Amino acid sequence: MKKVTLNNDIKCPIVGIGTFMIAPSDAENSVREALRMGYRLVDTAAAYQNERAVGRGIKESGVAREEVFISTKLWPSEYENESAVDETIKRLGVDYVDLLYLHQPAGNWLNGYRMLEKAYREGKAKAIGVCNFEGKYIAELESKWKIVPQFIQAEAHPYFAQDELRKTLDKYGIKLMSWYPLGHGDKSLINEPVFSSLAAKYGKTNAQIILRWHTQMGFVVIPGSRNVAHIRDNLDILDFTLTDVEMQEIAALDKGVRYYNRTDAQLDQFAAWQPTYEKV
C-alpha cells in the first residue's frame, strides 16, 4: 500500500474503504474483508451510525491495530460535548484514532476544533482535519487554528478538482481526502471517452482509471461498497501510472461542477440533529 506523508510526518494510505450510507452489518463485513485484502485505511463517522460495527470489522480482520489508519468524524451536535472524543474512541473499541475530523462547519464549530486540537495534544488523535470546510469556512478556520489540520475531506472528482480550495491546502501541506470520487456514480462522468480509452489501454475499468487519477493528484480516496468484488477492484489501481499527458487530458474535463450543494438552512439542521448510535 502506498502512503502519503502528512504535514506532521504521519503517513496515511492513499486508498481506503469508506462506510458512508452502509448499515452496521454491511460495514462490519466490508471493513473486515477490505483489511484482509490489503486495505489499511478505514473511514467512518459518528453520523454514519456504524462506528461500533467498523470497530468489530477491524478486530475480526486479524490485522494489528497499529497497522490500520482509522478515520472518523464528530457531528456538529457534539461540538460542545467535552466527552465526545472519548465516546467516539470507545464506540470504535480502540485507544486512539489516527484521524479525527469535524464533519460540518455548523453549530459551534470553533469549539469543536479546539476539542480536536486538545485530542491531538493528548495523543487521542494522531492527526486532525475538517470536512466540507470550503470557501469562507476554511478562510475563517485558517485565521483561528492553533494547530494546522492534516486533512480536509471534501467532494472531489474530475468534474470538480477543487482548484480553489487546493490553493489554501498547498500553503500548509494539508491533504485532501475525496468523497464522491466517482461523481456520485454519474454515468456521464464515468463513461467519458477519455476514461474508456485509458481503461482499454491499461486493462482496467473506467472507475479504476478515475480512482488512480485521484491518487496521482495527491488525493487520498475512500470509495465505499458493500460488494466484496467492487472493494477488491477499488484497491487494484496501484500497478499502473497515468502519464502527464493523460493527466492533462483528464484535467480538461473539470467543469467546476459539484453534485452536492449545501445550503445555510442545511447547516442549521445539521447542528440540531443527533445521531442514534448502535447499542452494541
Side-chain angles (χ1 to χ4, degrees):
M1 173 60 68
K2 296 181 181 179
K3 297 181 178 181
V4 294
T5 301
L6 309 183
N7 59 19
N8 62 353
D9 292 328
I10 296 291
K11 295 185 184 298
C12 175
I14 62 174
V15 182
I17 177 75
T19 60
F20 175 56
M21 293 188 70
I22 299 182
S25 59
D26 292 322
E28 182 175 345
N29 182 68
S30 291
V31 168
R32 181 184 64 247
E33 296 308 310
L35 291 173
R36 288 176 176 174
M37 290 175 196
Y39 283 82
R40 289 297 180 266
L41 164 62
V42 178
D43 181 73
T44 183
Y48 302 169
Q49 303 175 99
N50 60 18
E51 285 177 306
R52 287 190 174 93
V54 166
R56 292 194 298 270
I58 292 169
K59 287 184 174 65
E60 293 164 7
S61 73
V63 177
R65 165 66 187 97
E66 60 270 18
E67 294 184 23
V68 183
F69 193 101
I70 302 175
S71 164
T72 192
K73 312 170 191 73
L74 301 182
W75 188 250
S77 59
E78 300 177 314
Y79 293 170
E80 295 184 62
N81 173 11
E82 295 303 321
S83 63
V85 173
D86 290 333
E87 289 169 7
T88 201
I89 289 172
K90 183 178 179 180
R91 285 192 294 271
L92 285 161
V94 295
D95 297 323
Y96 67 93
V97 292
D98 299 274
L99 173 58
L100 185 61
Y101 285 109
L102 297 188
H103 205 150
Q104 298 284 352
N108 190 354
W109 63 259
L110 181 57
N111 190 72
Y113 197 79
R114 296 290 177 246
M115 289 167 55
L116 295 193
E117 292 175 323
K118 181 174 183 287
Y120 183 85
R121 288 191 294 267
E122 293 176 348
K124 295 177 181 179
K126 302 300 183 183
I128 58 176
V130 290
C131 299
N132 308 307
F133 277 64
E134 302 176 44
K136 64 182 181 181
Y137 298 106
I138 190 65
E140 185 176 355
L141 178 62
E142 183 182 5
S143 71
K144 294 180 177 178
W145 62 42
K146 296 176 182 177
I147 298 174
V148 176
Q150 282 69 56
F151 263 108
I152 186 167
Q153 194 175 113
E155 177 177 350
H157 42 74
Y159 281 173
F160 191 70
Q162 289 284 7
D163 289 343
E164 190 61 34
L165 176 62
R166 281 161 45 211
K167 293 176 184 177
T168 299
L169 305 189
D170 290 347
K171 281 194 297 182
Y172 299 99
I174 301 169
K175 294 297 184 182
L176 190 148
M177 190 178 287
S178 309
W179 57 262
Y180 280 1
L182 299 175
H184 201 31
D186 179 15
K187 294 189 186 316
S188 296
L189 170 61
I190 294 172
N191 293 325
E192 283 281 359
V194 64
F195 298 132
S196 298
S197 174
L198 292 172
K201 173 182 175 180
Y202 290 107
K204 299 292 181 179
T205 66
N206 289 34
Q208 287 171 320
I209 298 296
I210 296 172
L211 295 176
R212 184 58 172 142
W213 169 84
H214 280 273
T215 65
Q216 289 189 219
M217 287 289 289
F219 304 160
V220 172
V221 65
I222 47 168
S225 179
R226 301 172 185 84
N227 185 301
V228 172
H230 289 169
I231 293 171
R232 183 175 291 106
D233 287 345
N234 290 339
L235 186 62
D236 187 23
I237 62 169
L238 303 177
D239 58 352
F240 71 101
T241 302
L242 299 168
T243 68
D244 290 343
V245 171
E246 290 163 350
M247 291 292 287
Q248 291 169 7
E249 291 173 348
I250 297 172
L253 298 176
D254 192 348
K255 303 176 180 180
V257 173
R258 62 170 80 232
Y259 291 88
Y260 177 69
N261 291 284
R262 182 192 58 217
T263 65
D264 289 340
Q266 284 174 310
L267 287 178
D268 291 339
Q269 293 171 356
F270 292 158
W273 180 71
Q274 175 65 52
T276 301
Y277 305 114
E278 295 174 87
K279 300 300 182 184
V280 294

